[in-house]
Amino acid sequence: MEQLLPLIIQLVAGLIGGHAAGAAAKTSSLGPLGNSVAGLVGGGVLGQILQAVLASSAGAGAGGLDLASIVTSLAGGGAGGAILTLVVGLLKRMMVRT
C-alpha cells in the first residue's frame, strides 16, 4: 500500500488540477468528464516522471513515503493534470476551428 499511495495522491492531484485548469481557461475546458480524464492521465504520467527523476537525482530509494515524496506527488500530479487538460483543450479548439 505504501508504494501505491504516491500514485493515488498523483491521480487525485491531477483530477483537481484538470478541473482547476478547465475552470480557469473556459475556452480550453473539456467539460467535467473530459477535464477529469485528462487530469487523471496527466497527473499520473507527469507525477510518475517527476517522482522518478527526483528520486534518481536525490539517490532515494523508490517506495519510500516521506514529506518530500508527498509534495512531489502533489506538485507533479496537479501540474500534470492542468497541463494535459490545457493542451488537449487547445488542440480540440484548433481542430474544431478548421
Side-chain angles (χ1 to χ4, degrees), residues 29-81:
S29 179
L30 302 169
L33 183 61
N35 290 342
S36 296
V37 171
L40 284 170
V41 171
V45 170
L46 186 64
Q48 288 293 309
I49 291 171
L50 186 62
Q51 187 175 12
V53 167
L54 291 179
S56 67
S57 68
L65 188 63
D66 55 357
L67 185 59
S69 173
I70 293 171
V71 169
T72 302
S73 297
L74 283 171

Side-chain angles (χ1 to χ4, degrees), residues 3-96:
Q3 293 175 343
L4 282 178
L5 193 56
L7 178 62
I8 293 169
I9 292 170
Q10 292 162 1
L11 293 174
V12 171
L15 182 74
I16 293 169
H19 280 282
K26 296 285 186 192
T27 58
S28 295
S29 179
L30 302 169
L33 183 61
N35 290 342
S36 296
V37 171
L40 284 170
V41 171
V45 170
L46 186 64
Q48 288 293 309
I49 291 171
L50 186 62
Q51 187 175 12
V53 167
L54 291 179
S56 67
S57 68
L65 188 63
D66 55 357
L67 185 59
S69 173
I70 293 171
V71 169
T72 302
S73 297
L74 283 171
I83 291 168
L84 188 63
T85 301
L86 291 174
V87 168
V88 171
L90 288 171
L91 289 173
K92 178 185 169 196
R93 193 174 75 182
M94 289 172 55
M95 289 176 61
V96 168

